[in-house]
Amino acid sequence: LTFGALMAGTGVRVRFAPSPTGMIHLGGARTALFNFLYSRAEGGRCILRIEDTDKERTVPGAVHRMKEALKWLGVNFDEGPSLGGDYGPYVQVYGGPKKCTHFRCPLTSRFDDLHFM
């Protein structure tokens, strides 16, 4: 979304990107609700993107339970898994090595040390 598109009134795009590692917690529900309400107030879109980056902690059925809980709160996503949209994929799966030691900063093109556990 470009600045010109925003000025033309196409609205904002916000996302909620939980990890399917269990039941949704209060902080996650608050973030999803606030993002949803903000997108509606601004005439924008609210996107669900699942960040399944820790396969060892993934809980089967967690995504379905999260979607049901958010639906109960009145959060209706405009794009996401099973909804589709123009900017997928809406599920991020990471199955690579557990340790990442360097990251190239896109703004400075230099490497910075990162430590993931």
Side-chain angles (χ1 to χ4, degrees), residues 59-71:
V59 175
V63 172
H64 175 73
R65 286 190 300 274
M66 275 189 242
K67 287 163 104 177
E68 288 298 312
L70 293 169
K71 184 178 177 183

Side-chain angles (χ1 to χ4, degrees), residues 15-19 47-52 77 79-81 87-93:
R15 72 179 172 112
F16 177 59
S19 181
I47 295 101
L48 175 64
R49 182 170 191 250
I50 303 300
E51 298 281 340
D52 196 1
F77 294 100
E79 299 175 30
Y87 299 98
Y90 296 103
V91 177
Q92 175 67 41
V93 178

Side-chain angles (χ1 to χ4, degrees), residues 16-69:
F16 177 59
S19 181
T21 56
M23 303 243 350
I24 190 167
H25 56 81
L26 184 59
R30 177 202 54 92
T31 299
L33 184 59
F34 282 14
N35 280 355
F36 173 73
L37 293 173
Y38 178 70
S39 71
R40 293 305 181 256
E42 296 295 321
R45 299 181 63 76
C46 189
I47 295 101
L48 175 64
R49 182 170 191 250
I50 303 300
E51 298 281 340
D52 196 1
T53 57
D54 190 349
K55 289 307 237 179
E56 291 175 5
R57 293 180 50 217
T58 296
V59 175
V63 172
H64 175 73
R65 286 190 300 274
M66 275 189 242
K67 287 163 104 177
E68 288 298 312

